[in-house]
Amino acid sequence: MRKTDYKQTLEQDRNFSWHPFTQMSEWMSNDPVLIDSGEGAYLYDSDGNAYLDANASIWTNLHGHRDATINEAIIQQLNKVAHISYLGLAHQPGSDLASELIAMQSNSEIQGRKLQRVFFSDDGSTAMEAGLKMVYEAAKRIKGMRNPGFISLDSAYHGDSIGAVSLGQVGIFHQSFKGLLFPVDKFMNPYCYRCPFNRGEPEPGISSIYWKKCHWECVDQFDRACEMRLQRTDEAYAAVVIEPEIQGVAGMVSQPHGWLEKISAIARQHNSWLVFDEVMTGFGRTGPDFAWKNSGITPDILCLAKGLTGGYLPLAATLTTQEIFSAFLGEYQDQKTFFHGHSYTANPLACAAALESLRILQSTHSQSHREKLSHILKNALDPLWDIPIVGDIRQSGTIAGIEIVQNRSQKTPFHWKEKAGIRVCQRLKELGVLTRPIGNVLVVMLPYCANQADFQMLSSTLVQSLTEFSAGMPQKYLN
Ligand SMILES: *Cc1c(COP(=O)(O)O)cnc(C)c1O
């Protein structure tokens, strides 16, 4: 990109664009990084500077940028047709992808529950929205519920459309849109690091889920919430909504071993359905292709998006069981149809990209490489424990969150106005690493094509930026 174009682009951005989750008054007074191209795990700005894409372009990218075979799959489909409606028409990329996604759920028959149908939409929020509506209608028809209700985890994030925000439990998003939302109960999330019931002491070098000492009080609280719902309304929850294995936006809160099994057992006792949001955790991020396989607990609804196309095009899928699907079958005049859909549902280009991405994901090379990556990531993050502001490091597969604190022994969080996470990421950017914090948690999630050298570079820049940041802090904080 030429320098003059660069200037014009920034000018136009400043004058006409409105960026998501961005305080635009700050944005307009700064020069953003202007990305021109990408290759593998790196992005290049208009001056030719390279940046490691350390949050995989907001958790979407799997195999790296400009992967030759994904590009080729999109081009081949483009040479046939770019888009046709899925309303009243079928196409091969769509049916191949639906069939492949179901095949990947293969060992979901263990508990006699099997995901058998795929409903396509465009992004994580719409995948949740579709799942929410399926549950609502099916609970009325199958369970005879009058007022199907939901419960979700504290700090949960499920997207930004109104239904998805209602299902979520992020305080600031709720405050803003309060009058538009429907009530959803919440239950305690297993945030062991800051859990009031955890009697274990932080041990540098060991993630909080391993030093936890408790009696699963969070699980008891969930049990009580289910009982109370029953007493209050005479109806159990229609569904429990969970991001399995690790909650992303909540601050990379990883769940201790056995937690999901306990919660699911209680939900099943109450005959509540399980909705798993694997928008972030899906497609190998936590080890197996889907995070539910870590526990073997099969959901009744599985929501997928972000990594579905390898991070190339917007596409999402809501998978469900024959039981829920059947609730929408009947004569035309019964009006049991699922009255929901989007113009770009099952876009053929996106489906073609997804099919190729899944092919790569399931190759033996990719599987064994991902296994190695989780060890390489752990080794890359281990040196950070020596930095006093590092309170906790939580990792699941190739996802990690580094929680920074003012004071390690007291676990004192940095105040919002100190923008600690933002400042550390600002410095990382100068050092050639791009990622966004979640409050005081630094997110690390590299594309799977990253190699040992990339992780080494990640490690040393994290050490440098965190060490510099602690050096700039008043001495009283550091003990
Ligand atoms: C990103 C995300 C969503 C929302 O997906 P969008 O594609 O941004 O609408 C939903 N759930 C989880 C867990 C996510 O990480």
Side-chain angles (χ1 to χ4, degrees):
M1 194 186 269
R2 284 177 307 137
K3 247 326 195 257
T4 45
D5 298 339
Y6 177 107
K7 277 223 173 79
Q8 190 185 6
T9 304
L10 287 185
E11 201 54 35
Q12 287 166 337
D13 180 283
R14 204 166 274 141
N15 290 336
F16 304 113
S17 291
W18 190 345
H19 290 262
F21 285 101
T22 301
Q23 180 37 259
M24 289 302 291
S25 66
E26 271 178 25
W27 178 269
M28 290 184 297
S29 53
N30 288 308
D31 269 350
V33 175
L34 183 59
I35 296 298
D36 188 45
S37 63
E39 175 93 60
Y42 286 83
L43 294 171
Y44 298 89
D45 72 11
S46 32
D47 291 328
N49 298 313
Y51 301 89
L52 184 62
D53 188 2
N55 76 350
S57 293
I58 208 77
W59 318 352
T60 58
N61 193 288
L62 297 187
H63 314 294
H65 297 278
R66 216 145 38 98
D67 177 274
T69 62
I70 300 180
N71 278 8
E72 185 52 34
I74 296 171
I75 292 165
Q76 287 214 358
Q77 180 57 42
L78 189 56
N79 286 331
K80 288 187 186 166
V81 64
H83 184 64
I84 42 175
S85 171
Y86 218 46
L87 233 173
L89 296 170
H91 54 68
Q92 193 182 359
S95 51
D96 281 355
L97 181 57
S99 146
E100 188 58 33
L101 285 171
I102 292 304
M104 290 175 82
Q105 315 300 322
S106 57
N107 47 356
S108 69
E109 276 156 294
I110 308 166
Q111 311 146 312
R113 202 171 300 263
K114 191 174 184 318
L115 295 164
Q116 282 180 309
R117 284 282 161 178
V118 180
F119 188 92
F120 289 112
S121 61
D122 311 318
D123 49 46
S125 310
T126 55
M128 292 306 295
E129 212 72 36
L132 157 72
K133 285 185 171 176
M134 284 175 191
V135 166
Y136 185 79
E137 289 240 63
K140 286 188 167 180
R141 291 174 190 169
I142 300 172
K143 304 182 183 192
M145 286 186 162
R146 281 160 292 130
N147 193 10
F150 297 81
I151 185 167
S152 59
L153 279 171
D154 198 1
S155 302
Y157 174 80
H158 298 296
D160 294 323
S161 54
I162 293 301
V165 176
S166 297
L167 288 179
Q169 305 285 1
V170 180
I172 41 172
F173 305 161
H174 268 238
Q175 274 160 31
S176 312
F177 305 107
K178 214 169 169 184
L180 290 172
L181 307 174
F182 60 84
V184 171
D185 290 343
K186 72 176 165 195
F187 65 108
M188 188 177 180
N189 62 343
Y191 186 7
C192 302
Y193 183 63
R194 296 195 179 281
C195 178
F197 302 110
N198 190 356
R199 288 167 296 112
E201 288 296 324
E203 292 179 41
I206 301 174
S207 180
S208 57
I209 61 165
Y210 299 107
W211 50 255
K212 96 178 170 58
K213 282 203 189 103
C214 67
H215 301 292
W216 294 105
E217 284 85 348
C218 58
V219 174
D220 292 343
Q221 289 201 0
F222 174 67
D223 198 13
R224 274 202 296 281
C226 291
E227 287 299 335
M228 273 164 59
R229 163 85 191 178
L230 209 52
Q231 286 171 14
R232 224 172 42 233
T233 65
D234 229 13
E235 283 183 348
Y237 289 110
V240 184
V241 182
I242 297 174
E243 199 179 353
E245 188 74 19
I246 181 165
Q247 270 183 293
V249 174
M252 296 302 163
V253 174
S254 44
Q255 294 152 12
H257 193 68
W259 177 87
L260 191 60
E261 286 87 333
K262 290 180 197 297
I263 295 294
S264 302
I266 296 167
R268 296 280 187 234
Q269 272 167 25
H270 287 271
N271 201 19
S272 301
W273 283 320
L274 292 170
V275 174
F276 284 179
D277 176 350
E278 291 221 33
V279 170
M280 176 190 74
T281 58
F283 309 107
R285 275 286 164 205
T286 73
D289 46 9
F290 297 100
W292 68 258
K293 293 189 183 175
N294 285 311
S295 61
I297 308 291
T298 314
D300 300 273
I301 299 267
L302 179 67
C303 299
L304 305 170
K306 289 196 169 100
L308 174 55
T309 61
Y312 280 59
L313 288 162
L315 182 70
T318 305
L319 277 61
T320 192
T321 57
Q322 185 62 31
E323 182 192 21
I324 291 179
F325 176 67
S326 298
F328 295 87
L329 300 178
E331 298 296 326
Y332 178 71
Q333 62 273 21
D334 296 344
Q335 300 190 343
K336 284 185 161 184
T337 304
F338 186 43
F339 292 107
H340 183 95
H342 303 278
S343 319
Y344 281 96
T345 289
N347 171 261
L349 295 175
C351 290
L355 280 165
E356 183 53 26
S357 173
L358 295 183
R359 192 196 59 75
I360 302 172
L361 190 78
Q362 294 176 88
S363 68
T364 33
H365 171 75
S366 174
Q367 288 179 13
S368 65
H369 185 61
R370 286 202 307 276
E371 240 164 71
K372 275 190 228 133
L373 282 189
S374 108
H375 298 290
I376 296 175
L377 175 60
K378 184 178 180 304
N379 291 338
L381 299 180
D382 271 344
L384 304 184
W385 287 109
D386 293 335
I387 303 166
I389 59 166
V390 171
D392 196 18
I393 300 178
R394 299 180 284 270
Q395 184 188 347
S396 174
T398 60
I399 305 174
I402 302 148
E403 180 157 350
I404 54 174
V405 287
Q406 275 187 18
N407 178 307
R408 183 184 269 166
S409 56
Q410 306 294 319
K411 295 184 248 168
T412 323
F414 285 102
H415 195 272
W416 185 265
K417 66 172 187 261
E418 291 183 80
K419 295 190 186 167
I422 292 176
R423 281 158 61 200
V424 173
C425 288
Q426 191 70 31
R427 183 69 183 124
L428 282 171
K429 185 162 78 182
E430 291 163 12
L431 298 169
V433 172
L434 291 178
T435 187
R436 273 180 80 89
I438 304 164
N440 292 323
V441 177
L442 309 173
V443 173
V444 170
M445 203 189 293
L446 265 57
Y448 302 146
C449 64
N451 61 27
Q452 183 96 40
D454 301 327
F455 279 91
Q456 191 51 52
M457 123 89 163
L458 173 77
S459 182
S460 56
T461 48
L462 277 168
V463 167
Q464 184 179 342
S465 54
L466 286 165
T467 309
E468 284 176 10
F469 188 81
S470 5
M473 284 172 43
Q475 270 309 307
K476 62 174 177 175
Y477 289 150
L478 302 173
N479 46 53

